[in-house]
Amino acid sequence: MAETAGMTLTINGATFEATLEDNDTARALAAMLPMELEMSELNGNEKYFYLDESLPQNASNPGTINAGDVMLFGSDCLVLFYGTHSSSYSYTRIGRIDDAGGLADAVGARSVQVRWDK
């Protein structure tokens, strides 16, 4: 998989293109697509979903998390960040939404259905 491989997220009728990292975690997630997830709200800056299976992990602390980052927390928690903030937690980077403009409006303040496609 090349670094420019991507996926599409559809959230409340809005479509976001994302570029995947060139790592085992991103490849494992891509192999699971397509999927539709009910992602829960946390901290006013992220949506998360616990996957049924563990993905490969290589976690590190990014320091700053940017709106549009797609990360793995632990081995099975898929996280979509819609707010930029600093963090002391460690994540494995999966990818990033190419243009996160409008992402916060699309995800809203509650749980949200997110369609993940290749």
Side-chain angles (χ1 to χ4, degrees):
M1 173 180 288
E3 287 183 54
T4 56
M7 64 184 167
T8 302
L9 283 71
T10 305
I11 308 164
N12 287 326
T15 301
F16 298 91
E17 298 298 323
T19 300
L20 293 172
E21 293 291 315
D22 185 13
N23 64 31
D24 290 341
T25 312
R27 284 187 282 277
L29 180 68
M32 298 170 72
L33 302 180
M35 60 186 173
E36 188 148 334
L37 306 176
E38 177 76 22
M39 300 191 76
S40 300
E41 165 64 29
L42 186 64
N43 298 326
N45 59 26
E46 67 184 81
K47 303 294 183 188
Y48 71 93
F49 181 85
Y50 282 96
L51 300 166
D52 291 336
E53 60 188 77
S54 294
L55 300 181
Q57 55 186 329
N58 184 14
S60 63
N61 178 281
T64 298
I65 293 175
N66 294 297
D69 282 348
V70 179
M71 307 271 214
L72 181 69
F73 180 72
S75 64
D76 62 351
C77 186
L78 180 63
V79 185
L80 170 62
F81 290 96
Y82 63 89
T84 299
H85 63 285
S86 60
S87 176
S88 61
Y89 293 99
S90 292
Y91 299 91
T92 302
R93 187 171 294 282
I94 294 174
R96 172 165 180 68
I97 290 180
D98 300 333
D99 179 1
L103 179 60
D105 289 337
V107 298
R110 293 183 171 78
S111 296
V112 65
Q113 284 289 126
V114 180
R115 171 110 182 144
W116 302 72
D117 288 295
K118 289 184 181 179

